[in-house]
């Protein structure tokens, strides 16, 4: 069977966003997968090509498990310290392998958060553009935790943490989810 020549962007668009999975060669899928990884949708591409990309689907399942485990560990530690946190990156990932946990805590709980999480992470750093509002905590395995004191872009506040927390609701993962009005 002759396979239609199509660019990796076209193949990815058809498979991931248009819901059709045109027949593709191994080189075409390899190129589309590289593009899918850059756009954090390799899980969706693997769903469209389950036979050819079963290894990618397995990677995504493993990443999802690590995300859930790290989220549960962090929210358990924060809950034990009575520190409320809002998960701002969404729900458990199914689309990609590389996913970090993004949580917002109030600035008044910033130091207590690090105390509560002491021993959970092996390395920490601050984001160079947002030194006072974001910290990165890296566990031995799995996705990192990105801690924020509010929703901001390069230091410009979008949603203050207090407002975000006041409108948030339980999500079943031991933390809060933003209200629909605060989801972007």
């Amino acid at each position: 069977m002759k396979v239609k020549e199509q660019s990796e962007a076209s193949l990815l668009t058809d498979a991931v966003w248009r819901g059709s999975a045109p027949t593709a060669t191994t080189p075409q899928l390899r190129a589309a997968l590289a593009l899918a990884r850059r756009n954090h949708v390799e899980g969706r591409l693997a769903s469209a090509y389950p036979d050819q990309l079963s290894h990618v689907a397995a990677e995504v399942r493993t990443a999802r498990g690590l995300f859930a485990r790290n989220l549960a560990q962090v929210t358990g530690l924060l809950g034990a310290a009575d520190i409320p946190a809002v998960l701002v990156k969404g729900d458990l990932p199914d689309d990609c392998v590389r996913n970090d946990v993004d949580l917002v805590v109030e600035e008044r709980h910033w130091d207590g958060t690090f105390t509560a999480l002491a021993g959970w992470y092996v390395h920490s750093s601050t984001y160079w553009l947002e030194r006072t509002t974001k910290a990165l905590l890296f566990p031995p395995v799995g996705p990192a935790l990105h801690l924020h004191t509010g929703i901001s872009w390069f230091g410009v506040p979008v949603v203050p943490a207090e407002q975000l927390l006041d409108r948030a609701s339980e999500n079943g993962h031991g933390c809060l989810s933003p209200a629909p009005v605060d989801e972007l």
Side-chain angles (χ1 to χ4, degrees):
M1 168 174 32
K2 180 132 171 79
V3 176
K4 178 184 168 194
E5 280 298 317
Q6 97 184 84
S7 73
E8 64 266 14
S10 177
L11 180 66
L12 182 65
T13 301
D14 286 349
V16 172
W17 289 283
R18 292 191 179 126
S20 67
T23 303
T25 65
T26 299
Q28 285 175 318
L29 276 179
R30 191 176 310 119
L33 179 58
L35 184 58
R37 288 192 191 280
R38 288 194 302 273
N39 287 278
H40 303 283
V41 292
E42 64 268 25
R44 293 178 68 186
L45 183 65
S47 293
Y49 296 95
D51 294 333
Q52 299 100 315
L53 298 176
S54 61
H55 64 288
V56 176
E59 288 176 34
V60 172
R61 280 191 304 275
T62 299
R64 187 181 202 282
L66 289 171
F67 182 96
R69 186 201 68 188
N70 286 5
L71 178 60
Q73 289 174 348
V74 166
T75 57
L77 292 167
L78 294 177
D82 290 324
I83 299 173
V86 179
L87 179 65
V88 292
K89 198 172 186 178
D91 211 345
L92 296 175
D94 284 321
D95 289 346
C96 67
V97 172
R98 190 191 159 279
N99 252 326
D100 298 314
V101 178
D102 281 82
L103 292 176
V104 173
V105 296
E106 290 178 282
E107 193 169 341
R108 66 187 173 106
H109 292 299
W110 191 251
D111 293 335
T113 297
F114 286 92
T115 300
L117 297 176
W120 179 81
Y121 61 95
V122 294
H123 171 70
S124 68
S125 66
T126 55
Y127 187 57
W128 68 277
L129 288 174
E130 301 174 273
R131 292 188 193 277
T132 60
T133 62
K134 182 175 181 180
L136 311 173
L137 306 179
F138 301 91
V141 177
L145 170 63
H146 293 197
L147 282 175
H148 308 265
T149 57
I151 304 297
S152 65
W153 296 107
F154 304 109
V156 177
V158 176
V159 180
E162 295 77 17
Q163 186 178 18
L164 185 69
L165 283 157
D166 286 345
R167 297 192 291 216
S169 59
E170 291 292 329
N171 63 11
H173 298 297
C175 57
L176 303 168
S177 287
V181 70
D182 294 326
E183 287 186 314
L184 300 173

